[in-house]
Amino acid sequence: MNTSTVIDFIKSGWRMIAILTVVSLIAILVLLFVAGLLFLPAETTFSGGAVTYYPK
């Protein structure tokens, strides 16, 4: 596969490549956020009916 074939593929599918890149980055950020809530030790306090997380 030569360089012009790669460039033609990127030109023809750049929208799909951009969408997949953005979706992948958002998915990684969401997974990191959920992992932080689940696996990092945190104290939960109730104040005025709201739940507040204080990381240790």
Side-chain angles (χ1 to χ4, degrees):
M1 202 154 103
N2 56 17
T3 308
S4 62
T5 307
V6 175
I7 292 174
D8 290 338
F9 173 75
I10 292 173
K11 283 182 180 178
S12 64
W14 71 269
R15 287 180 186 88
M16 188 58 65
I17 294 171
I19 290 170
L20 289 175
T21 303
V22 170
V23 169
S24 299
L25 289 174
I26 291 172
I28 290 171
L29 289 175
V30 168
L31 286 174
L32 288 174
F33 179 74
V34 170
L37 286 180
L38 292 178
F39 300 119
L40 292 178
E43 294 178 5
T44 306
T45 61
F46 295 92
S47 58
V51 179
T52 310
Y53 295 97
Y54 293 101
K56 286 185 177 181

